[in-house]
Amino acid sequence: MKRFLQILFLVALIVGTILIIRQQQSMPYQHDKGEVFGTFYSITYQSDKNLKSEIEEALKKVDAEFSMFNSNSTVAKINRGEKPELSEMFMEVYNLATTVNEETHGAFDITVAPLVNAWGFGFKTEQMPGKHQIDSILSFVGKDKFKVVSEGKKQMPQKSDKRTMLDFSAIAKGYGSDVVARLLRSHDIKNFMVEIGGEIVTCGNSEKRLPWKIGVTKPVDDSLSVDNELQTILNITDKAMATSGNYRKFYYKGGKKYAHTINPTTGFPVQHNILSATVITKNCAVADAYATAFMVLGMEETKKVLEKHPELMVYLIYANDKGENEVWFSPSLEGKITQ
């Protein structure tokens, strides 16, 4: 009798497994697209239910905290000098940004907004600030110029200078991708890819029943985003990926190129030879922030940070002494590069 029950259980297990596999194979993939954070999103996920309304609701909450284009966002209010109570979402991203700031010796800084504006990459048109103006702005840029203070049970913003402004654009898209990924997982969705402005989270397999393959764009000067030739393709799933580069936002003046990545320490656009930095890890907000920081740090300083953070997989495209593109990637990416 005992053996009969064991066989019966085994048969039931096999039949159940077959039914689950068939259900997964027949279940359709949803494809949702839209706009958020001043860019576009594209989300593919295997589900018999379309979740676009829930996805957009989740993204609206992120936008309401960190968007510089939303006059009612928490960041916009802080930049105007208001003191809104800070949410758990704001604190999660703020604490993460603070950690990356410390780990990169200030290369990632959410108070960089006034410098970005001064160089014409924010809400203002391109311009050429002088050293005196940059030095003046640097007096109210830096981690120590903004902090969060407790007032009873409330978390409140505090600026040491009213001119200090926050800019979460180098982490918000990655965080938004993480938020959508959490939503999909809460619905027990196993196979998906979330992409917001190039910041990506993948899980499981694609519609082709294969691990997700993610392309890294070749860093060619292309301010209109019409050239999408790929440098390489990475075979990565159950990971998050973000890329930062100076080949989309830039301008030329006096024969010199000025790119949008600003060094928060010097106040000037970075001029080293890294053209793009791609970071792969478990959390897209983390990947987003470090990718920006590595663009600021340059090759050698980036390698020093990676010695302390082996969990970060990094793919760097840089220009050699002859101006030719070359690639460096961390050993942890071995075997994941398919092209």
Side-chain angles (χ1 to χ4, degrees), residues 256-277:
K256 190 173 183 179
K257 178 181 175 181
Y258 294 88
H260 80 287
T261 303
I262 309 297
N263 186 323
T265 303
T266 66
F268 284 81
V270 296
Q271 295 291 324
H272 54 63
N273 63 346
I274 293 185
L275 302 175
S276 79

Side-chain angles (χ1 to χ4, degrees), residues 207-227:
E207 289 175 276
K208 296 179 180 179
R209 316 298 173 192
L210 296 171
W212 295 98
K213 294 183 179 181
I214 310 298
V216 177
T217 305
K218 184 172 290 187
V220 177
D221 284 357
D222 179 26
S223 60
L224 298 178
S225 300
V226 296
D227 191 336

Side-chain angles (χ1 to χ4, degrees), residues 37 58-79 86-97 110 123 166-176 179 285:
F37 314 145
L59 290 175
K60 283 179 182 177
K61 292 179 180 179
V62 181
D63 185 86
E65 294 290 344
F66 304 110
S67 176
M68 294 182 72
F69 302 94
N70 180 348
S71 61
N72 292 317
S73 74
T74 299
V75 165
K77 291 176 180 178
I78 293 171
N79 288 347
L86 303 178
S87 67
E88 289 185 12
M89 179 180 287
F90 184 96
M91 291 305 302
E92 180 184 0
V93 179
Y94 170 72
N95 289 333
L96 175 57
I110 58 171
F123 295 108
L166 305 184
D167 182 354
F168 284 83
S169 61
I171 194 172
K173 289 185 296 181
Y175 181 73
V179 167

Side-chain angles (χ1 to χ4, degrees), residues 306-324:
L306 293 177
E307 289 176 3
K308 297 181 180 179
H309 291 279
E311 76 279 6
L312 301 177
M313 294 185 285
V314 176
Y315 187 94
L316 302 177
I317 305 174
Y318 65 97
N320 62 22
D321 294 339
K322 297 179 181 179
E324 301 167 334

